[in-house]
Amino acid sequence: MCGIVGIVGKANVNQDLYDALTVLQHRGQDAAGIVTFQDDRFFLRKDNGLVRDVFRTRHMMRLVGNVGIGHVRYPTAGSSSSAEAQPFYVNSPYGITLAHNGNLTNAEELARDIFRTDLRHVNTSSDSEVLLNIFAHELQKLGKLVPEKDDVFAAVKAVHKRVKGAYAVIAMITGYGIVAFRDPNGIRPACFGKRETAKGPEYMIASESVALSALGFELQRDIAPGEAVYVETDGSLHTQQCAENPKLNPCIFEYVYFARPDSIMDGISVYKARLRMGDHLAEKIHRLRPDHDIDVVMPIPDTSRTSAMQMALSLGVKYREGFIKNRYIGRTFIMPGQNQRKKSVRQKLNPIALEFRGKNVLLVDDSIVRGTTCREIVQMARDAGAKKVYFASAAPAVRYPNVYGIDMPSANELIAHGRTTEEVQELIGADWLVYQDLEDLVSCALEGNPNIEKFDCSVFDGDYVTGDVNDEYLQRLEAIRNDSSKSKREQELMMAQAPLDLHNDN
């Protein structure tokens, strides 16, 4: 999962891009990058780390220009090497930089085609660089000295025909403007907004609407599946549908976990959707255990807080904050290796013993992925004096890997894969475990936008909406994503980069 942003303004956009990336920091803490252009030259800064650490005053002073794009990353395809921080750049044609959120399911095939037929070299293992070269090649084929809007849209149409998977993209064509487009299924989010100034309108494109509102841009709308938005350097806005058969199938996990609650995605308030998740889960508890003995509901900070508050209200029991979060620890399911995740849970959360002592506690989390975090938290609640520890997941059981841009583990490392609810309950050490039903989760999101025909719920039901994910693909993915493979790649990366660190003066 990543965050992307692009701005065409009337003055330097470096500070706005920086501020937008800090708002989108929850979408990736591995690396950050900004690129701008002025006088037909581009200016790039990117590196591993948080936004606040990657950009210093000396970097910001060099990022001049009224047009630019930015990116925050956590690694899905590829590695966590700084060489794979985005935006990526190719010099031909025109000089194009690109930031991408998502995952291409035919990236390996495309990488071979790029070398054999497009005669282009890909320098990393990132599918984002593959996507950049596909777009650049299709634009170059048109042979125009000066690209016009129809040329840009023609290139996007060709990209849709070649590329499969999930992608929300912002690309900057040096000297001409920025183009943003979304995959024909609309799996990954993207929207655009407008801000009026004395010199004319400014436009901003971002992964989430909260980045627009934080900077004073008025949300215009979401980019439609398959649609492209092209904003020229003078502020002229052009849009066109570039896919032959677009369908809106947004990723439902955005509403469960990734998106900020103050965002609106595809017409759906994330906050309202999470409130409804709490209502539906409370209804299920009333149905299964009408005489429940829950004394208090507690969220696992932070994403589950909205659902937990509504659950407590619907159940008619107390809501309490039982865990205090250290906000300087990253999201644990993204961290490589079980040992590191287990250690980070204790560093990340600290219980308030007075709230647990002698009580039957219902802990609420947004979802259960590996189960490592849940097991540690349940034990922490018992150590703090809880009489009984119940556990509720605002999402259904995660049984299948995500292939569209969320770096979930291989299927065998998902605690619910091939197991019943009772078996998971025993593994995490809870006295009772309750999951959200999938049909209830879908209705929670669908209520915000009844026009959506289908959500991508593949992590819950194994139904991959692009139709090109088979057992062979999932087996290859498992070989790449399992913890032992990740650990080996990280060790190789550290060995390869060690001599370089001695000369790094950035």
Side-chain angles (χ1 to χ4, degrees), residues 260-272:
R260 274 182 43 156
D262 43 347
S263 283
I264 296 175
M265 287 183 165
D266 291 308
I268 302 168
S269 164
V270 176
Y271 179 74
K272 290 288 189 181

Side-chain angles (χ1 to χ4, degrees), residues 216-476:
F217 285 80
E218 183 179 352
L219 174 66
Q220 299 297 291
R221 59 179 175 83
D222 294 279
I223 297 176
E227 184 184 26
V229 175
Y230 181 47
V231 187
E232 298 182 77
T233 54
D234 64 359
S236 300
L237 173 72
H238 313 279
T239 66
Q240 185 172 309
Q241 177 55 254
C242 297
E244 294 178 352
N245 187 29
K247 297 177 182 178
L248 183 54
N249 304 135
C251 173
I252 203 163
F253 211 69
E254 289 277 359
Y255 304 97
V256 170
Y257 176 75
F258 267 106
R260 274 182 43 156
D262 43 347
S263 283
I264 296 175
M265 287 183 165
D266 291 308
I268 302 168
S269 164
V270 176
Y271 179 74
K272 290 288 189 181
R274 290 177 183 169
L275 285 177
R276 291 189 286 266
M277 291 175 204
D279 277 330
H280 279 280
L281 201 47
E283 289 173 8
K284 184 173 182 179
I285 291 174
H286 276 307
R287 187 171 66 251
L288 296 179
R289 294 198 173 187
D291 299 322
H292 69 78
D293 58 351
I294 300 167
D295 295 317
V296 61
V297 174
M298 294 182 182
I300 310 302
D302 284 315
T303 322
S304 64
R305 184 172 284 121
T306 306
S307 297
M309 288 175 62
Q310 195 65 16
M311 282 187 70
L313 182 64
S314 298
L315 290 171
V317 301
K318 292 179 181 179
Y319 170 88
R320 290 291 185 267
E321 295 282 345
F323 293 98
I324 300 302
K325 181 180 178 181
N326 180 349
R327 300 184 183 278
Y328 304 99
I329 302 292
R331 289 184 163 186
T332 51
F333 98 72
I334 296 173
M335 292 183 176
Q338 290 282 29
N339 289 335
Q340 186 175 346
R341 279 187 292 272
K342 183 175 179 180
K343 180 181 178 183
S344 71
V345 174
R346 295 277 179 170
Q347 295 173 331
K348 178 180 178 180
L349 298 175
N350 193 55
I352 302 174
L354 289 174
E355 295 296 342
F356 290 91
R357 199 166 297 149
K359 297 175 183 176
N360 298 331
V361 179
L362 174 63
L363 303 179
V364 183
D365 209 349
D366 52 77
S367 59
I368 303 174
V369 182
R370 289 179 174 91
T372 312
T373 301
C374 299
R375 188 161 48 244
E376 284 295 306
I377 290 173
V378 168
Q379 188 58 49
M380 288 167 67
R382 294 197 189 282
D383 293 343
K387 187 164 59 174
K388 292 182 180 178
V389 182
Y390 306 132
F391 207 99
S393 169
V398 177
R399 302 186 188 280
Y400 305 92
N402 186 284
V403 303
Y404 298 130
I406 301 176
D407 192 22
M408 285 184 174
S410 63
N412 290 333
E413 291 169 352
L414 296 169
I415 193 170
H417 180 73
R419 293 189 177 100
T420 65
T421 299
E422 291 72 21
E423 288 171 332
V424 176
Q425 172 184 312
E426 184 177 352
L427 284 172
I428 68 173
D431 293 295
W432 185 50
L433 170 64
V434 58
Y435 282 108
Q436 186 87 259
D437 292 330
L438 181 56
E439 55 268 29
D440 287 339
L441 176 62
V442 170
S443 70
C444 291
L446 194 61
E447 188 173 330
N449 184 356
N451 295 320
I452 296 176
E453 295 182 10
K454 182 180 181 180
F455 289 90
D456 169 57
C457 303
S458 54
V459 297
F460 306 122
D461 61 10
D463 180 13
Y464 297 94
V465 295
T466 54
D468 62 332
V469 178
N470 54 29
D471 289 340
E472 181 183 354
Y473 180 89
L474 292 175
Q475 288 171 6
R476 292 201 309 272

Side-chain angles (χ1 to χ4, degrees), residues 55-97:
F55 302 101
R56 301 296 185 182
T57 301
R58 65 183 185 274
H59 305 127
M60 297 295 289
M61 290 178 66
R62 290 198 295 265
L63 293 170
V64 294
N66 71 309
V67 180
I69 65 176
H71 186 268
V72 288
R73 175 185 190 263
Y74 89 78
T76 304
S79 72
S80 59
S81 165
S82 59
E84 297 192 4
Q86 296 184 39
F88 283 116
Y89 167 77
V90 290
N91 69 343
S92 179
Y94 316 116
I96 302 175
T97 51

Side-chain angles (χ1 to χ4, degrees), residues 153-185:
F153 292 141
V156 175
K157 289 178 182 178
V159 169
H160 287 328
K161 290 179 179 178
R162 295 181 65 177
V163 172
K164 298 177 182 178
Y167 49 94
V169 175
I170 300 178
M172 184 174 72
I173 306 172
T174 307
Y176 299 102
I178 62 174
V179 57
F181 53 94
R182 199 172 172 195
D183 69 79
N185 288 287

